[in-house]
């Protein structure tokens, strides 16, 4: 069953909100981002393609499969992401965390008008080694929209090998 959970990510990107609402410092395992715009067609699921690796402990990401974050081992993973859509006053915008092609978490919001629209999401996953995590975008503006930039940070907690 799909779960929906949204939370603000501090600018440092180094904290995830815990169950009691307190920030918990966690080590960053992989941080990837998109330096150039990516077009998201109207009402079309689009896996985001990363082009910049900020940090990668364990070989989670490669330019040969730019949409895929591959879990190097089994355990609990917390995924935090942000995506910004070009401004448009119609429809909704959604950011989703996918695991092995299946929907796990979504943050869907109505358009806020003509201003650029950032959306953040945080979700936890239980993964096996080799599981593929992707960030998916969807929008229903009636036209294609660019993402004006996005970044993803993946964290893991106490199950660090």
């Amino acid at each position: 069953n799909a779960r929906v959970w949204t939370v603000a990510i501090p600018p440092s990107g180094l904290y995830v909100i815990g169950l009691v609402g307190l920030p918990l410092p966690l080590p960053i395992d992989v941080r990837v981002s998109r330096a150039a715009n990516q077009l998201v067609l109207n009402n079309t699921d689009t896996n985001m393609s990363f082009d910049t690796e900020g940090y990668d402990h364990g070989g989670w990401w490669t330019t040969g499969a730019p949409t895929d974050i591959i879990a190097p081992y089994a355990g609990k993973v917390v995924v935090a992401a942000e995506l910004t859509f070009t401004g448009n006053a119609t429809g909704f915008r959604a950011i989703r965390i996918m695991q092995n092609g299946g929907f796990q978490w979504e943050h869907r919001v109505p358009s806020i008008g003509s201003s650029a629209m950032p959306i953040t999401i945080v979700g936890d996953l239980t993964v096996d080694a080799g599981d593929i995590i992707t960030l998916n975008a969807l929008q229903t503006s009636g036209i294609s929209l660019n993402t004006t930039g996005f970044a993803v940070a993946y964290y893991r907690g106490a199950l660090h090998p």
Side-chain angles (χ1 to χ4, degrees), residues 4-8 105-109 119-122:
V4 177
W5 179 35
T6 60
V7 66
W105 293 92
E106 178 181 68
H107 183 185
R108 180 183 294 214
V109 294
I119 304 172
T120 58
I121 190 169
V122 176

Side-chain angles (χ1 to χ4, degrees), residues 14-27 78 155:
L14 296 178
Y15 294 91
V16 175
I17 302 302
L19 294 176
V20 294
L22 300 174
L24 303 172
L26 298 172
V78 178
Y155 306 84

Side-chain angles (χ1 to χ4, degrees), residues 1-2 19-20 49 51 61 63 92 106 118-119 129 151:
N1 292 337
L19 294 176
V20 294
S49 182
D51 60 12
W61 182 79
T63 56
F92 69 82
E106 178 181 68
I119 304 172

